[in-house]
Amino acid sequence: MGVQLWWVYDILAVAVLLICIYLSGKKGVFKSVITSVGCIVGAVIAVSVSGAVSDSLYKTTVRDGNISKLEKTLIDTDISSYMGNALEGMGYNVVVSTKKLDEIFDSDKDVDEQLYKYMNNINGKVVDDEENFQKNLLECYAMVMKRLISDDVSKYAVETASRKITDGDVDFGSLIKQIKDSDQRKDVARIISDDYIADAYKNVIRLVAVTILFVIIFIITILTVKAVTAGQRETENSKGSHIAGGICGIITGVVILFMTAVILRLYCIMGNNEMLFFGNEAVDKTYIFRYAYDFFKL
């Protein structure tokens, strides 16, 4: 969705709230209270339980498959060639020697520092100040990681790994040394699976778990309301009851709005729209919807 259509999200938020207020006001306070409590309980349970569920399911159903695929990919990986191409694309007008990169990666010295010294020595001049170079180097590392894993994992996982590198949350320089060692392919595959891409898969699983758990509890709540009020004559026709029911509808609407944001995030990820999940400019411009969207950055 384009940035210029940011208002659609706020219209959606207002529509959800108004519908819930109307339906709850029509039901009366008794039914509305039960529905509101059920929504709150459902959301709390769904969010609380989903974390453990996602962690467990990732380890038992996804992790081993990712490790196996990545281990096979690493067999044909020439990391020095990958890095050479990425470094030459940094805009410093240099030609990089893969032989020299091999020496850097095989040494015991810090990779980042050695690369900075090497890039400055290629043409005999400083290519950049160290701070800017380090920022560009992280982007370079991210490009290499994308090339390394893009055929084996989801786009969302690729973008997650890339962001971890550019944010400095992981030490890709050290990982390169291990990639160079053919005896550590299994270990490297485990590191990538656990430290670089696990969060992406866990987030997807958690969003699915939150949605399913909430829907189940919400259905149970609706059935409970019907069961409790079955055979009873409607006695909540007073104006006060309808007003109180409408107030309860605000609570229900807020919870439903949060769940709508969860479903939207899941839709964006499954549709490979990584940028919308990471921070959509249209959502950021909204006055209402962004609070629900940001609340569920699981």
Side-chain angles (χ1 to χ4, degrees):
M1 184 178 292
V3 176
Q4 68 276 13
L5 296 178
W6 60 268
W7 48 270
V8 173
Y9 293 110
D10 273 345
I11 289 179
L12 173 64
V14 172
V16 169
L17 290 173
L18 290 177
I19 290 172
C20 288
I21 291 172
Y22 171 76
L23 293 177
S24 296
K26 186 177 180 181
K27 291 177 183 178
V29 65
F30 181 68
K31 293 180 180 179
S32 298
V33 166
I34 297 176
T35 301
S36 296
V37 171
C39 285
I40 294 173
V41 171
V44 171
I45 292 177
V47 173
S48 301
V49 173
S50 61
V53 171
S54 63
D55 186 63
S56 177
L57 286 178
Y58 174 73
K59 291 179 180 178
T60 57
T61 64
V62 180
R63 181 175 180 269
D64 289 345
N66 284 340
I67 291 174
S68 179
K69 288 185 290 185
L70 291 169
E71 187 178 6
K72 292 178 181 178
T73 295
L74 291 170
I75 294 175
D76 299 322
T77 297
D78 184 353
I79 194 65
S80 294
S81 177
Y82 288 7
M83 276 299 302
N85 292 334
L87 290 169
E88 290 178 352
M90 291 175 72
Y92 294 137
N93 193 28
V94 295
V95 177
V96 176
S97 167
T98 54
K99 182 178 179 180
K100 181 60 180 179
L101 292 182
D102 285 336
E103 294 176 4
I104 292 174
F105 299 149
D106 290 336
S107 72
D108 295 330
K109 298 179 180 179
D110 182 77
V111 171
D112 293 6
E113 293 179 2
Q114 291 301 302
L115 287 176
Y116 182 58
K117 291 179 181 178
Y118 171 59
M119 293 288 282
N120 288 333
N121 290 331
I122 292 178
N123 294 328
K125 64 179 181 180
V126 177
V127 295
D128 205 344
D129 66 76
E130 189 168 1
E131 183 178 354
N132 284 333
F133 178 83
Q134 289 299 327
K135 291 180 181 178
N136 291 335
L137 183 59
L138 292 179
E139 295 288 345
C140 182
Y141 285 158
M143 291 174 57
V144 172
M145 175 57 82
K146 287 182 178 180
R147 183 177 177 183
L148 184 65
I149 68 175
S150 60
D151 291 336
D152 299 316
V153 301
S154 69
K155 285 187 177 182
Y156 178 56
V158 172
E159 292 299 325
T160 298
S162 175
R163 172 160 289 202
K164 281 181 172 288
I165 293 172
T166 55
D167 287 348
D169 296 335
V170 290
D171 185 2
F172 189 74
S174 297
L175 185 66
I176 290 177
K177 291 178 177 289
Q178 293 177 272
I179 294 175
K180 281 278 294 172
D181 187 347
S182 60
D183 294 331
Q184 296 193 51
R185 289 191 189 116
K186 187 81 171 182
D187 292 333
V188 171
R190 287 196 187 101
I191 291 171
I192 295 175
S193 295
D194 294 340
D195 298 341
Y196 288 78
I197 64 175
D199 287 348
Y201 287 97
K202 288 180 182 179
N203 278 339
V204 172
I205 296 171
R206 190 174 185 187
L207 289 170
V208 172
V210 166
T211 303
I212 293 175
L213 288 171
F214 177 80
V215 169
I216 291 173
I217 296 174
F218 184 74
I219 292 174
I220 292 174
T221 299
I222 298 301
L223 294 177
T224 300
V225 171
K226 290 184 177 181
V228 171
T229 59
Q232 296 182 5
R233 297 183 63 182
E234 182 62 56
T235 59
E236 295 180 339
N237 292 321
S238 69
K239 184 176 180 180
S241 176
H242 291 310
I243 293 175
I247 294 174
C248 291
I250 296 175
I251 299 173
T252 301
V254 169
V255 177
I256 296 297
L257 180 58
F258 286 155
M259 295 311 304
T260 302
V262 169
I263 294 172
L264 177 61
R265 281 182 173 275
L266 182 60
Y267 171 79
C268 294
I269 296 173
M270 300 304 289
N272 290 326
N273 189 350
E274 307 91 0
M275 294 310 297
L276 183 55
F277 184 85
F278 283 131
N280 183 282
E281 293 182 7
V283 173
D284 291 339
K285 286 180 175 293
T286 61
Y287 293 99
I288 301 174
F289 190 80
R290 61 191 174 97
Y291 293 105
Y293 195 79
D294 291 340
F295 183 83
F296 272 105
K297 283 184 178 178
L298 301 174

